[in-house]
Amino acid sequence: MEVSSVSPPSASPTEGADLCEIDVTNVAIGAVTLLISLCGLAGNGAVLWLLGFRIPRSPITIYILNLAVADFAFLLFAVPFAVLYLLEDVSCSMIMPLTYRSLLFPLSVLSYIVGLYLLTAISIERCRSILCPLRCRCHRPQCLSVVVCALLWALSTSLMASVISVCQSHKPEHCWVARICMYALNSLFIPAMVISSIILFIKVKCGSQQQQHKRLDIVVSLTVLVFALLALPPTLWNFLRKFGYSIMSSELVFLLTCIHSTINPFIYSLAGRCWKPCSVGSLRLSLQRVFEETEENTARSNHTAMDTLLC
């Protein structure tokens, strides 16, 4: 995925100065994108508030909190963009500043990269706790999640800043090398994320875990699956576009990106099995069912295992 990988829709519906034909399909996609983005802002905002202030911290919730920050930051820019795009499409005039448009490109890619890195870390964290619970519990530093998140954010930001600075030097060959390096680095995380997610899925299907752990593993598996279905197609679209192929419109790519940044809170609610009307209270109950007391249950099972070994 490159700097302009999640390319927003074109600024003007027509190129002629005298004709103004409104594309109903683009307007409909733009309206759906705006609605979904608003829902995503509300959902991720609620997750940020609940995990930040209402639910006790754990290694997994720290990762989820950082993932919600990345999604919320992207949607915070995507909502005004969707509004301005609809106004441009209806009025047939240029409204959106080019500076704002250029800010959305790197932010969308940064959200993608951070999500990829954090999901990989979450998947590996869960696999370690399942495959070797005693060792993970005894030898894991308490601040490891915070340190890992800080390093992943620093890596993502520095990577994006490097690519942007190289591409703005007006040397196409250097820009291409920088993009290839970013592709190569990101591709290293994908196999680890996929393999660890498959292990989690197998463990869930085997049914040997406690219900609390099953919910958490279902959340991780579904989040990785949704990431693969929604975030990777825009990357493929952007890659093929460089060779003259187009598998979907830019409006649809932007819609998929907004759905990807919106859907995680609904996954948490689904895994928590709260079928109440949508509210912060029901989301809080779902998050508590998924994330709360996981560490306590793990510690209790570890102590039981230790007692068994000693006996």
Side-chain angles (χ1 to χ4, degrees):
M1 203 171 198
E2 65 175 80
V3 177
S4 60
S5 57
V6 183
S7 181
S10 55
S12 178
T14 63
E15 296 181 358
D18 299 328
L19 298 178
C20 181
E21 296 181 1
I22 298 177
D23 192 330
V24 179
T25 302
N26 288 344
V27 172
I29 293 177
V32 173
T33 301
L34 177 60
L35 179 61
I36 290 176
S37 299
L38 289 173
C39 293
L41 272 181
N44 284 289
V47 171
L48 288 175
W49 182 68
L50 292 173
L51 292 183
F53 303 101
R54 294 295 180 178
I55 296 179
R57 300 286 178 84
S58 68
I60 296 298
T61 58
I62 293 175
Y63 290 120
I64 298 296
L65 185 63
N66 282 267
L67 188 61
V69 169
D71 292 335
F72 186 85
F74 171 72
L75 292 172
L76 198 62
F77 278 77
V79 168
F81 184 92
V83 172
L84 293 176
Y85 168 70
L86 283 175
L87 292 177
E88 286 185 351
D89 208 355
V90 172
S91 63
C92 297
S93 60
M94 181 70 70
I95 299 176
M96 190 181 313
L98 294 178
T99 303
Y100 188 86
R101 186 188 304 275
S102 63
L103 286 175
L104 188 66
F105 291 150
L107 186 61
S108 63
V109 184
L110 180 62
S111 175
Y112 166 83
I113 295 176
V114 171
L116 171 62
Y117 294 173
L118 288 174
L119 286 176
T120 303
I122 293 172
S123 300
I124 294 176
E125 176 78 23
R126 285 304 302 158
C127 282
R128 288 182 67 248
S129 63
I130 290 174
L131 299 179
C132 48
L134 292 177
R135 183 179 180 84
C136 180
R137 182 71 183 180
C138 297
H139 300 282
R140 188 186 189 282
Q142 293 183 351
C143 60
L144 180 61
S145 297
V146 177
V147 174
V148 171
C149 288
L151 291 176
L152 293 179
W153 273 103
L155 176 61
S156 305
T157 306
S158 59
L159 182 62
M160 277 302 308
S162 301
V163 174
I164 292 175
S165 61
V166 171
C167 291
Q168 288 181 346
S169 63
H170 304 291
K171 294 181 179 180
E173 64 278 4
H174 294 170
C175 184
W176 179 253
V177 172
R179 291 167 178 172
I180 291 298
C181 292
M182 184 172 65
Y183 281 122
L185 180 60
N186 293 339
S187 64
L188 296 177
F189 286 82
I190 295 177
M193 180 181 66
V194 172
I195 293 174
S196 55
S197 299
I198 292 175
I199 294 175
L200 289 178
F201 179 77
I202 293 175
K203 286 293 183 179
V204 171
K205 293 295 289 184
C206 291
S208 59
Q209 299 172 272
Q210 299 177 359
Q211 186 67 21
Q212 182 74 27
H213 295 281
K214 280 187 176 181
R215 290 196 185 103
L216 182 56
D217 294 336
I218 289 173
V219 164
V220 175
S221 300
L222 285 178
T223 305
V224 171
L225 178 62
V226 169
F227 180 87
L229 293 177
L230 297 178
L232 294 183
T235 306
L236 179 62
W237 170 83
N238 183 74
F239 181 77
L240 293 177
R241 190 184 61 170
K242 295 303 177 183
F243 297 94
Y245 300 98
S246 181
I247 58 177
M248 64 182 73
S249 65
S250 59
E251 291 82 7
L252 186 57
V253 171
F254 188 55
L255 173 61
L256 289 178
T257 307
C258 293
I259 293 176
H260 165 249
S261 298
T262 298
I263 201 170
N264 285 338
F266 297 95
I267 294 178
Y268 309 149
S269 179
L270 177 65
R273 293 183 181 179
C274 271
W275 304 112
K276 298 179 180 179
C278 183
S279 64
V280 176
S282 63
L283 180 59
R284 178 181 179 180
L285 181 58
S286 298
L287 291 175
Q288 287 174 335
R289 288 179 175 179
V290 173
F291 298 116
E292 240 184 12
E293 299 179 354
T294 303
E295 296 298 312
E296 296 177 6
N297 290 338
T298 304
R300 191 178 301 114
S301 62
N302 291 342
H303 288 314
T304 304
M306 286 294 295
D307 294 340
T308 303
L309 291 175
L310 292 175
C311 294

